[in-house]
Amino acid sequence: MRRVIIFGLKDYAELAHYYLAHDSSDDVVAFCVHRAYLPADQMFLGLPVIPFEEVASIYPPGDYFFFVPMSPKAMNRDREKIYLAVKDMGYQCISYVSSQATTFGNEIGENCFILENNTIQPFTKIGNNVALWSGNHIGHHGIIRDHVTFTSHVVMSGHCDIGAYSFFGVNSTLRNALKIAEGSFIAMSAAVVKDTEAWAVYKGNPAIKMDIPSTKMRF
Ligand SMILES: CC(C)(COP(=O)(O)OP(=O)(O)OC[C@H]1O[C@@H](n2cnc3c(N)ncnc32)[C@H](O)[C@@H]1OP(=O)(O)O)[C@@H](O)C(=O)NCCC(=O)NCCS
């Protein structure tokens, strides 16, 4: 049984605690946030909340694991920052893959948060720090690179290459064999029919590039 510290105190952290408690053999021992965000009683869901600045002296890397299940804010770069900071401290991050997801021995990296009813078809690889919210179709012979978020009910057809930091809104759809460039923001319900440009926003059916960089998106 791995002893796990969860970073954060918001919805994602609460959900991660729920999923790990109900659907894994991992044991969540504490939550962790930067000192400035510590709650007055230093407790959350009946567990201690430890300042990030001190966590390594209380729960040493090697004996404990981390999980950083944060939202896609700032095109996944906020989650990347904490994930890399935790790794720099010497921790290994766990990945959670729902027992209700369908997988086929896929390569899946660390700090991934993969919820129920995702179908990840054979020969598709998933990098580090990837969130697949519920119900996505992740087609065969594809690759999802690091720091990506799929929200829900996205269809990624076969042979797609998903660039790092990308975000997919609910119900978006990708034609087969597309190359989605780094930092692409695909709006909800967009139907992407051709390769995308880096750090661009796409909307509509067929999806059209918007006049705003994805780094300016607020969600
Ligand atoms: C791209 C997105 C961010 C646009 O949001 P926004 O900037 O707040 O847009 P607004 O709601 O102000 O709408 C601006 C215009 O775009 C249209 N629009 C908004 N989203 C659209 C979409 N996904 N596709 C097509 N048109 C869209 C609106 O109808 C509106 O049109 P109008 O000016 O003719 O009235 C939003 O559509 C989106 O995809 N968000 C992600 C949602 C999501 O997946 N959340 C995950 C929850 S788990």
Side-chain angles (χ1 to χ4, degrees):
M1 187 186 275
R2 299 177 298 188
R3 291 176 294 180
V4 178
I5 304 153
I6 294 177
F7 187 90
L9 296 176
K10 293 193 176 160
D11 286 4
Y12 276 60
E14 185 176 7
L15 284 162
H17 175 266
Y18 182 91
Y19 281 112
L20 291 177
H22 290 86
D23 185 35
S24 83
S25 55
D26 294 320
D27 183 23
V28 179
V29 296
F31 290 88
C32 178
V33 285
H34 288 102
R35 188 185 304 287
Y37 298 94
L38 274 183
D41 62 356
Q42 304 202 9
M43 295 291 287
F44 184 58
L45 305 178
L47 292 171
V49 183
I50 308 298
F52 189 65
E53 294 81 351
E54 283 169 30
V55 67
S57 61
I58 302 168
Y59 296 108
D63 294 342
Y64 294 86
F65 292 79
F66 244 94
F67 192 34
V68 183
M70 291 166 63
S71 83
K73 218 166 138 220
M75 294 305 291
N76 300 295
R77 289 171 300 169
D78 286 2
R79 188 170 76 237
E80 178 197 27
K81 259 184 229 150
I82 303 294
Y83 161 66
L84 293 180
V86 157
K87 283 179 65 68
D88 275 356
M89 288 164 86
Y91 288 102
Q92 205 181 322
C93 289
I94 67 154
S95 281
Y96 166 76
V97 180
S98 169
S99 64
Q100 294 169 57
T102 303
T103 58
F104 295 90
N106 312 81
E107 241 177 68
I108 296 176
E110 57 177 12
N111 207 53
C112 291
F113 196 18
I114 297 179
L115 301 190
E116 64 277 5
N117 298 329
N118 279 288
T119 296
I120 307 174
Q121 289 193 314
F123 313 120
T124 286
K125 292 182 189 160
I126 297 183
N128 298 314
N129 200 28
V130 169
L132 303 180
W133 217 249
S134 51
N136 299 293
H137 170 85
I138 304 297
H140 59 96
H141 293 99
I143 179 160
I144 299 178
R145 297 178 191 274
D146 296 348
H147 321 301
V148 165
T149 296
F150 280 66
T151 58
S152 287
H153 294 260
V154 176
V155 175
M156 169 184 142
S157 303
H159 290 277
C160 286
D161 180 335
I162 308 299
Y165 306 103
S166 294
F167 169 90
F168 296 87
V170 289
N171 267 317
S172 53
T173 297
L174 303 184
R175 181 188 204 158
N176 53 299
L178 289 185
K179 191 161 173 47
I180 301 298
E182 177 171 291
S184 294
F185 181 108
I186 312 300
M188 59 184 184
S189 292
V192 185
V193 295
K194 50 187 179 191
D195 294 353
T196 63
E197 292 171 28
W199 303 102
V201 176
Y202 291 82
K203 192 163 96 172
N205 181 2
I208 289 170
K209 187 180 158 202
M210 297 286 97
D211 221 7
I212 177 174
S214 60
T215 47
K216 293 261 166 68
M217 296 308 283
R218 298 282 165 261
F219 51 94

